[in-house]
Amino acid sequence: MIAVGETSLSAVATGGLQTEIREFKLPCIAPDEGILRVEIVGVCGTDVSHYRMLREPMILGHHVIGHIDRIGEVAAKRWGLKEGDRVAMEEYIPCGHCELCRTGNYRLCSDTEPGVGIRYGATPIAVSPSLFGGFSEYMYLHPNAVVHKLPAHVPAVEAALTLPLSNGFEWMRTIGQIGPGDVVVIQGPGQQGLASALAAKAAGAKAVIVTGRSTSVRRLELARQLGADYTVNVSEEDVVVRVREITGGEMADVVLDVTSGGTEPVVTSLQVVKKHGTVLLGALKHQLFQEFDLDIIYQKSLTVKGVRGHNYESVKMAIDFVSSGVFPLKLMNSHDYRLADTDLALRTAGSMGEPNPLLVTVSPWK
């Protein structure tokens, strides 16, 4: 039970790349609610984007791992959890009633959109009870929260990869239908690209090729350590030529672009994929395509699809993956910060702080 007056220290992003540590009173929970004691939070590129363009103060952080601190009777039955259980959180808080929710596509529910409904890591503190972000000692568990039980043996810094990996499994296995013998090209060796490379290897891909610029040399090296078969430095090598060499001219079955900004990786993705192949677009470009030759899609009979987020099953796949200990996932964690250093964590993840960021995390009780 939570004592009357018990509080949570939380890192509140206030705007202008500023963070303040504030104290919030923990709410009294209803039978269908709960309170999470946050263990560790991964810093996502979305967190950095919100931090740069913040309009209202909020507690960021949505790659959340924690322990159930208090749970109502109805919530315990619905989630199959009890106090003390370790869980991985999804960022979505769907309505549960619309057609998208009813058909399993709750990640596209309008209620999960920042600025429309409520969502972990993207909800202003003005929305009661304020504790909707992971950069906090405690977090409020909404009745519609989506939670997954997580084994206790998984190291915290590896558990923090659950959501990025779930995106990888969603895009590579569920949508891309990767299987044994397939060749996969992943453009962009960031957190999502590396997670997708791991998912592709776990799905049985014959060859995984990860591309990146000279500024990402360390990440390309990490991709190889994690199991990627080939890496291509696009600042020094022609991607199309290199993929043709690697595949003996057969090219790639599936190509994923997770590079931020710039349209060139989309163009080369269409060039390196084989006829009747699939190109997946997993990152915003924030610009219009000009003088873009659409005929290549027709000529090669391609499937081009936008990919976004994960579903319940892909999170389960990710949990099974991190629980297996098969891959050296701890190599991906470069920085783990205290709650008081959340500003530095966000700046580091956004290449504005300490050098060479990979997976950046915040441990509120460190």
Side-chain angles (χ1 to χ4, degrees):
M1 297 290 290
I2 295 176
V4 175
E6 190 172 340
T7 60
S8 172
L9 293 177
S10 307
V12 179
T14 57
L17 295 175
Q18 297 292 323
T19 296
E20 296 178 5
I21 300 299
R22 297 185 186 178
E23 192 171 24
F24 294 87
K25 183 177 180 180
L26 292 175
C28 295
I29 63 168
D32 58 353
E33 300 173 325
I35 297 291
L36 185 79
R37 187 181 193 271
V38 179
E39 179 183 3
I40 194 168
V41 190
V43 183
C44 174
T46 304
D47 296 318
V48 177
S49 296
H50 285 320
Y51 200 40
R52 286 173 167 148
M53 301 181 291
L54 202 68
R55 294 183 180 179
E56 297 181 74
M58 64 178 63
I59 303 169
L60 299 172
H62 60 279
H63 290 182
V64 182
I65 303 298
H67 293 83
I68 301 297
D69 189 81
R70 185 180 180 186
I71 189 168
E73 183 179 352
V74 174
K77 183 176 180 180
R78 177 192 299 135
W79 294 327
L81 297 170
K82 63 183 184 302
E83 291 180 6
D85 281 347
R86 193 187 195 200
V87 298
M89 297 291 303
E90 293 194 36
E91 67 269 46
Y92 313 121
I93 306 178
C95 73
H97 303 290
C98 69
E99 182 178 358
L100 289 166
C101 285
R102 294 297 190 185
T103 55
N105 293 304
Y106 58 86
R107 67 186 180 281
L108 300 178
C109 172
S110 296
D111 278 10
T112 70
E113 296 290 344
V116 178
I118 52 177
R119 179 185 179 118
Y120 287 114
T123 300
I125 60 173
V127 177
S128 180
S130 303
L131 300 173
F132 285 99
F135 299 143
S136 179
E137 291 178 335
Y138 293 94
M139 196 168 76
Y140 165 67
L141 295 179
H142 187 278
N144 291 349
V146 184
V147 300
H148 299 258
K149 194 169 183 179
L150 181 72
H153 74 269
V154 181
V157 295
E158 297 186 13
L161 282 162
T162 299
L163 282 196
L165 282 166
S166 67
N167 288 351
F169 278 103
E170 175 77 4
W171 304 345
M172 294 288 96
R173 185 169 173 180
T174 303
I175 296 175
Q177 295 289 298
I178 297 299
D182 286 335
V183 174
V184 181
V185 173
I186 295 170
Q187 303 243 56
Q191 187 178 130
Q192 298 288 3
L194 293 173
S196 296
L198 284 163
K201 290 301 293 184
K206 177 176 69 175
V208 173
I209 305 165
V210 179
T211 76
R213 298 184 178 278
S214 293
T215 52
S216 299
V217 168
R218 187 181 175 213
R219 293 183 178 187
L220 290 174
E221 293 173 353
L222 178 60
R224 289 192 293 270
Q225 289 178 291
L226 291 171
D229 300 283
Y230 304 92
T231 57
V232 180
N233 184 336
V234 300
S235 300
E236 301 175 354
E237 301 176 274
D238 185 301
V239 177
V240 180
V241 171
R242 188 71 184 104
V243 172
R244 186 177 292 116
E245 291 174 349
I246 292 170
T247 63
E250 293 186 4
M251 310 309 278
D253 296 278
V254 176
V255 183
L256 169 68
D257 173 29
V258 281
T259 60
S260 58
T263 59
E264 182 60 27
V266 178
V267 175
T268 56
S269 294
L270 296 169
Q271 292 171 336
V272 302
V273 71
K274 65 172 53 173
K275 290 181 179 180
H276 211 260
T278 299
V279 174
L280 304 176
L281 305 178
L284 293 170
K285 301 300 182 180
H286 301 292
Q287 58 186 291
L288 298 177
F289 278 66
Q290 302 295 332
E291 299 181 3
F292 179 63
D293 183 8
L294 291 172
D295 288 350
I296 191 172
I297 299 174
Y298 165 80
Q299 290 166 347
K300 298 173 78 171
S301 189
L302 300 178
T303 297
V304 180
K305 184 176 179 62
V307 290
R308 177 185 175 193
H310 45 260
N311 66 14
Y312 194 86
E313 186 63 29
S314 59
V315 178
K316 289 174 61 179
M317 293 180 197
I319 289 175
D320 288 342
F321 184 82
V322 299
S323 301
S324 71
V326 172
F327 287 84
L329 299 180
K330 64 181 180 181
L331 294 175
M332 290 183 66
N333 185 262
S334 59
H335 301 77
D336 184 38
Y337 293 99
R338 301 175 304 149
L339 184 65
D341 296 322
T342 298
D343 172 71
L344 181 56
L346 286 159
R347 289 175 181 273
T348 297
S351 299
M352 300 175 286
E354 295 185 314
N356 301 317
L358 297 171
L359 171 67
V360 176
T361 50
V362 172
S363 297
W365 299 91
K366 187 174 180 180

